[in-house]
Structures are given as C-alpha cells and as structure tokens.
Amino acid sequence: EIVLTQSPGTLSLSPGERATLSCGASQSVSRSYLAWYQQKPGQAPRLLIYDASSRSTGIPDRFSGSGSGTDFTLTISRLEPEDFAVYYCHQYGTSPRTFGQGTKVEIK
Amino acid sequence: VQLVESGGGLVQPGGSLRLSCAASGFTVSAHFMTWVRQAPGKGLEWVSILYRGGTTYYADSVKGRFIISRDTPKNTLYLQMNNLRAADTAVYYCARDIWFDPWGQGTLVTVSS
C-alpha cells in the first residue's frame, strides 16, 4: 500500500498569500496518477487537480499541481477567502487507492 | 452530471445495509465507479471500486463484508454492507472515474447499539 504523507498539517495564511502544500509518497506513484481535492465543512470533496498537474474543469488557474515519483505539490498562488478549507492528495495508480491525511488551510 | 446517495441510517453491530448511488447525466456502466467514506472528524478512506469491465477491488478493512455492484437499467451503483462494525460509522460518498469526479453529497451510516 502506498502511504501518502501531507505536510504541513495546518497552514495559517492570510488572503492574498501563496500556499504550498506537499504530498509525499512511500513509493513512486505510477504514471503520476495523483489528484488533489478540496473539502469544506459539511460538503463533499471537490476535484482540483488530476494526473499531478491537470486542472479539473472550472478550477481557477490560481490552483496548480506539480511533481512526480514520490513528491507532489499543490500551489495556490493567491489565497481567496473561499480557498480556506482542507486539502487531500490521492493516488490512483496502484490498488489500494490511498489518500493523504489532509492539510487544513486556515485564516491567519 | 449528478450522483445522489441514499440508504444510510442507524444499524446495530453485525447488521446489514445497502447504499445506493443514483447517477444522472452519464452512464454508470461506462465509467469507473467508487465508494469513499469519511468517519466523523476524520480524513477520507477509499472503500471499493468497480471497473467498467466489472472487476472489483476492496480496501482490506471491508474485504469479505462489502460488495460493490451496479444496475445498468437503473443507472445506479450499490454498496452492500454486511457484518457492520462501529468502525464502519462514516459518511459514504460515491464518485465517478479513476480520479473521483464528481462526488455525491454523501449518506451517513451509523453503526451503534
């Protein structure tokens, strides 16, 4: 099983700042099959990024993904008020599919 | 494109429940379909996936107790959950495709005596 470790656990930032979230895998993620999701309280997760760097339909371009192998990054270039949420990475290249434990982006 | 889960509720340990995920705007049998759960206050846990060709995979935590299936005429995905445990208490989401998009709104399953 591929274990995904997200860091930091909590990120305290102000609107307009840049957020950098990391996701490390215990072994290489096949074909960079890694996705990022955003989840707000009481809501279902929403896909932001798939295949490590492709933005899902309707996702603003302030969200970007990068990385390969065992190290992946989600960057939010300038935080908007609606971006404060929990973010999860997920690998779908190998069964069982696994998720990271999440990074909470909170208002400083 | 929409997914709507139903069938959650309160069940005693050892009991059974069947969740449904009704799809609209696309054909369930033409896509990978998955179930993911989230225990209260916790992160996301993948549960099961059903490939287009019918192959199924399960998390070790539910293997032998849960069964994923689909009804093509009804365009609906199911999760039959047997021998339920307290640790199965969670919101259960269905989602489409290998990168899980979109998601349904979730249905809460509570296993308690």
Side-chain angles (χ1 to χ4, degrees):
Chain A
E1 170 175 322
I2 295 179
V3 177
L4 299 179
T5 302
Q6 292 186 238
S7 60
T10 302
L11 201 49
S12 298
L13 295 168
S14 300
E17 289 194 293
R18 181 185 187 88
T20 302
L21 288 66
S22 296
C23 177
S26 60
Q27 54 188 280
S28 184
V29 176
S30 175
R31 289 170 284 188
S32 293
Y33 276 177
L34 187 112
W36 290 92
Y37 303 88
Q38 176 193 69
Q39 187 178 33
K40 297 179 181 179
Q43 296 184 17
R46 176 176 70 145
L47 176 70
L48 300 175
I49 301 288
Y50 64 95
D51 291 352
S53 60
S54 297
R55 256 189 311 277
S56 183
T57 303
I59 300 303
D61 61 7
R62 63 180 181 273
F63 291 92
S64 63
S66 63
S68 63
T70 60
D71 294 302
F72 298 87
T73 301
L74 174 70
T75 301
I76 310 172
S77 58
R78 290 182 57 201
L79 283 164
E80 296 288 341
E82 61 268 27
D83 299 336
F84 291 91
V86 179
Y87 294 83
Y88 294 95
C89 60
H90 158 231
Q91 70 81 22
Y92 48 94
T94 305
S95 265
R97 277 74 171 157
T98 49
F99 289 92
Q101 82 280 15
T103 289
K104 182 179 181 180
V105 179
E106 64 177 22
I107 300 177
K108 187 174 182 179
Chain B
V1 174
Q2 190 175 18
L3 296 166
V4 178
E5 300 96 335
S6 61
L10 176 63
V11 61
Q12 292 188 340
S16 296
L17 214 54
R18 189 179 79 158
L19 305 183
S20 299
C21 169
S24 57
F26 72 99
T27 302
V28 163
S29 60
H31 292 264
F32 294 80
M33 296 296 298
T34 200
W35 288 96
V36 175
R37 67 185 181 184
Q38 186 170 36
K42 302 297 184 182
L44 301 171
E45 179 188 15
W46 172 76
V47 172
S48 180
I49 191 166
L50 173 59
Y51 283 17
R52 288 171 296 193
T55 301
T56 58
Y57 291 95
Y58 299 91
D60 285 346
S61 58
V62 307
K63 201 174 296 183
R65 300 187 299 123
F66 289 12
I67 300 172
I68 189 171
S69 64
R70 66 189 175 212
D71 184 320
T72 299
K74 292 184 177 180
N75 208 31
T76 298
L77 178 74
Y78 299 102
L79 186 68
Q80 177 66 43
M81 304 187 296
N82 301 320
N83 192 20
L84 283 161
R85 308 165 179 168
D88 297 318
T89 294
V91 174
Y92 285 72
Y93 297 100
C94 61
R96 187 187 74 170
D97 288 330
I98 59 171
W99 48 65
F100 304 176
D101 178 61
W103 297 56
Q105 85 289 350
T107 187
L108 176 62
V109 173
T110 303
V111 184
S112 175
S113 55

